[in-house]
Amino acid sequence: MLDVSDAVRAEIGEAEAERLLAGENTPGEYDCTSCRSRGNTSTERTSTVLFVGEETAVLAFAHAACIPSQVVTVSEDQLQGAVRTLTEADQQAETAEARPPAAQAAPTVGTAPEPGPRQAVLGVTCGQVLIEDTLHPAIVVEPTSPIARPGTNGPGDDFLPLLIEHGFHPVTDVARLPAPVTGWSVLLAMGQLHAVLQPPASPGTQPVAWWQAHQPLAVTEGWRTAAARNHTVVVYAAPVGSIGQQPREDLLREALEKAAADGVLVAGTMPLAGT
């Protein structure tokens, strides 16, 4: 029931891969590194996911229905943070039966500013958007200043034209699901948002991060559930001043609809995990 991809096998070695497939080093039950719900390597198809940093590598497990077996390159800081999170989770699990679970409310919408081209900051907002009677996980990207075309110093804003050239689609109706953006993907690992990936610069190389979180961005359980169900994420983008940081999903929807009516919204659907 365990899937070890050629990429993972090449990183961990043939002997370790065979031990995994034989069940010697598998955990049995695990928390899916994508949706964070429980899984079992003996009863359901499971993917091995190897997170590789500059000095550290961590082997994790995920439902095959969530993400395929693959190697995910992350920064060393991200990987060390994930290791600390997993260690704390294990410690908490050991004492969970001794005390009742704490009720914890998660914000509906989370934001994280990240560096973008020309020293601009890309504001990334996560929320769910109702499209054709189905809730879809969405990411909204908006820079804090105009984005100039590489190699130019003009005062204009080329953010949307550049994205359209790379496959994004103009949005006129938020109620319709955008078409896919070829080669782009969303990296959701260990239950958190890590990056939006764009196609590699040359065939045979790894995708590159168009946006990458300094620290993994937490998303709500509903967002993760919708992402696992749909296997895709809708990524919207708008120029500076079009959306703003909306505290609720209904306000985010209104801002998206206004941006679409003004002709300043592009979008595309992207698969999870970059493969």
Side-chain angles (χ1 to χ4, degrees):
M1 303 295 285
L2 194 67
D3 180 22
V4 181
S5 68
D6 291 342
V8 172
R9 186 183 293 264
E11 290 286 342
I12 66 176
E14 195 68 26
E16 180 63 21
E18 291 304 318
R19 283 193 289 269
L20 282 170
L21 292 172
E24 297 179 13
N25 295 337
T26 55
E29 291 192 349
Y30 60 89
D31 286 336
C32 174
T33 193
S34 178
C35 72
R36 304 306 295 165
S37 62
R38 297 293 285 175
N40 192 304
T41 57
S42 62
T43 60
E44 53 193 323
R45 290 192 59 81
T46 299
S47 297
T48 52
V49 182
L50 184 67
F51 295 93
V52 178
E54 288 82 4
E55 300 177 358
T56 310
V58 174
L59 185 66
F61 299 87
H63 301 116
C66 290
I67 55 175
S69 175
Q70 61 190 282
V71 175
V72 178
T73 302
V74 297
S75 71
E76 186 68 20
D77 289 344
Q78 286 179 326
L79 194 55
Q80 293 295 340
V83 170
R84 286 193 296 271
T85 298
L86 292 174
T87 301
E88 291 170 359
D90 290 341
Q91 293 173 344
Q92 291 171 0
E94 292 176 357
T95 59
E97 294 183 359
R99 52 187 169 82
Q104 189 172 31
T108 303
V109 177
T111 61
E114 295 301 325
R118 294 286 309 279
Q119 304 300 315
V121 173
L122 294 181
V124 173
T125 302
C126 298
Q128 295 187 76
V129 177
L130 185 64
I131 303 174
E132 298 171 355
D133 297 325
T134 300
L135 279 174
H136 290 263
I139 297 171
V140 182
V141 182
E142 180 184 4
T144 57
S145 61
I147 302 295
R149 188 175 296 273
T152 67
N153 295 313
D157 191 342
D158 293 313
F159 186 54
L160 294 192
L162 285 168
L163 289 178
I164 291 173
E165 291 171 13
H166 282 80
F168 280 69
H169 311 280
V171 175
T172 57
D173 185 359
V174 179
R176 298 181 61 182
L177 186 66
V181 185
T182 304
W184 290 65
S185 56
V186 172
L187 177 57
L188 181 70
M190 299 185 186
Q192 296 177 308
L193 180 63
H194 283 248
V196 176
L197 305 176
Q198 62 184 25
S202 58
T205 60
Q206 293 291 326
V208 295
W210 176 64
W211 168 84
Q212 184 171 9
H214 283 317
Q215 295 180 346
L217 177 61
V219 294
T220 64
E221 182 178 353
W223 197 99
R224 288 196 302 270
T225 299
R229 180 182 64 244
N230 298 328
H231 303 292
T232 56
V233 177
V234 182
V235 178
Y236 295 96
V240 54
S242 302
I243 304 296
Q245 295 187 359
Q246 304 298 334
R248 301 199 315 266
E249 287 179 335
D250 58 333
L251 298 177
L252 180 64
R253 175 60 177 256
E254 291 178 6
L256 289 172
E257 290 177 343
K258 183 180 185 302
D262 293 339
V264 292
L265 186 67
V266 299
T269 58
M270 301 182 186
L272 283 176
T275 58

